[in-house]
Amino acid sequence: MIDGRGAKFAASAGNGAKAASQTPSTTVVAGSVVTVLLAATILTWGAKAPENGATSVGDMGYEAATVARDETDSALETLDPNTQSLIGADVKSCRQRLAVITVDKMPATPGGIFRIRSGAYLSPFYTVTEEPQRIAYPFPTPYETGTGDISIEGWVAGTRLYLSPTLGPTAINGKLVIHLRWHVDKSCDI
C-alpha cells in the first residue's frame, strides 16, 4: 500500500480536523496521556531512544507516492491553510506536485502525535489512529530531482508509515529522518 488509495485524506488542524491542537487543556491532558502510554510501550519493547532524539532510515531510499490528479482537492486540505493558499493553484495546474504518506497504528498501541517536515514545509500535528490517514506534503526537493529527505517529528509508538517498503511498526521519540526517492513523471496524468 504505497499510496494508501482507499484510505481517507486527513484534515489539517486549520480545517476543523481532530488534530492535536483543539484546546490548551485538551492538548495538555492528551499529551500527558500519550507520554505515559508511549513511555510504557517503549519500556515494554525494551527500546532505547537515540541520544540526540533523531534517527535516520532508508539509505537506499523509501519510495514516496505522488498524489493523483483526481485527489488534488482532498490532498490540499491536509496541508496547513497558509501553504494551501500559497501552492494550491500550482498544484491544481500541475506546476507543482505533492507527495502522500499513509499513516496508521497497530491495534492496542498508543499511537501518538506527529508532523512532517519536508524541505521548508512543516505540517500541523496529526494524531495517529487505527484508521489509515493519508497526508499530503510538498516534495522535499524539486520534483525533478527524484530524491530527498523528510522527517517525521513527534512521539509515536506502534505506528506504520506506508511508503515502499512499509516502515513500521515503529516508535519515534523526537525525529526520524527518512531518505526518499520517487518516480519523476512529467505528465499530469498520475
Side-chain angles (χ1 to χ4, degrees), residues 130-148:
E130 284 187 29
E131 183 171 330
Q133 301 175 75
R134 298 183 73 207
I135 300 168
Y137 58 93
F139 282 97
T141 58
Y143 177 74
E144 295 75 25
T145 63
T147 187

Side-chain angles (χ1 to χ4, degrees), residues 47-133:
K48 180 179 176 192
E51 299 211 11
N52 65 0
T55 55
S56 179
V57 297
D59 291 338
M60 299 301 290
Y62 282 86
E63 186 175 338
T66 302
V67 170
R69 186 172 175 101
D70 65 340
E71 296 181 320
T72 299
D73 289 335
S74 296
L76 283 168
E77 291 177 9
T78 69
L79 303 174
D80 71 87
N82 187 46
T83 302
Q84 286 178 35
S85 64
L86 288 173
I87 69 170
D90 285 346
V91 170
K92 289 180 181 183
S93 67
C94 230
R95 288 188 300 267
Q96 182 168 344
R97 300 287 178 82
L98 292 175
V100 63
I101 188 169
T102 302
V103 179
D104 70 7
K105 73 181 191 87
M106 301 289 293
T109 61
I113 60 170
F114 74 97
R115 62 185 178 183
I116 300 169
R117 183 178 301 274
S118 178
Y121 176 72
L122 183 62
S123 78
F125 276 98
Y126 291 94
T127 301
V128 181
T129 64
E130 284 187 29
E131 183 171 330
Q133 301 175 75

Side-chain angles (χ1 to χ4, degrees), residues 156-168:
V156 300
T159 300
R160 294 178 291 209
L161 307 171
Y162 292 96
L163 299 160
S164 181
T166 298
L167 178 59

